[in-house]
Amino acid sequence: MIQFRLLGLSGSLRHSSYSTAVLRGIRDSLTPKSALEIFPLHGVPLYNEDDDAEHAPESVRTLRSAVEASDGVIMISPEYNHGMSGVLKNALDWASRLMDFRY
Ligand SMILES: Cc1cc2nc3c(=O)[nH]c(=O)nc-3n(C[C@H](O)[C@H](O)[C@H](O)COP(=O)(O)O)c2cc1C
């Protein structure tokens, strides 16, 4: 029986991404009590606060639900100009607004 449900976010959209390959490696080496779902970030639009409310884009609502349903999130990103990729930062911007839109 699965006790820990993990969500994996990769900051690279590249088909042959090393970052995503690391996530797959983690997923494939977990014990049977744990599961890792890799959430594809390809469909997540650029953050726009005008679109951010209960009617946020469907891919964003799916991402938020997946984060909420997980016991933990594993994030991995290539280094892009000494920081995380824009893909991952963008996903975090959407996901970080899950609980409270007032600040
Ligand atoms: C826009 C861009 C910026 C990058 N900046 C850095 C960097 O600052 N330092 C570094 O070591 N590699 C840098 N790289 C190389 C990537 O980190 C490297 O190709 C990585 O393997 C890509 O990850 P992926 O295989 O998961 O797609 C950069 C690549 C790109 C496309």
Side-chain angles (χ1 to χ4, degrees), residues 34-98:
S34 304
L36 171 65
E37 175 202 350
I38 301 173
F39 189 97
L41 296 177
H42 298 70
V44 177
L46 291 176
Y47 185 82
N48 181 345
E49 195 167 359
D50 291 341
D51 299 333
D52 195 1
E54 61 269 24
H55 300 300
E58 186 177 348
S59 60
V60 170
R61 285 185 277 124
T62 305
L63 170 64
R64 288 172 168 168
S65 298
V67 171
E68 202 169 11
S70 73
D71 297 304
V73 180
I74 299 176
M75 291 172 267
I76 186 162
S77 175
E79 181 177 340
Y80 279 0
N81 297 311
H82 310 290
M84 74 173 79
S85 71
V87 168
L88 183 60
K89 177 65 167 59
N90 182 61
L92 293 180
D93 289 343
W94 282 113
S96 67
R97 307 289 282 177
L98 177 61

Side-chain angles (χ1 to χ4, degrees), residues 10-14 16-20 77-83:
S10 171
S12 174
L13 303 181
R14 207 164 64 82
S16 301
S17 161
Y18 294 115
S19 308
T20 308
S77 175
E79 181 177 340
Y80 279 0
N81 297 311
H82 310 290

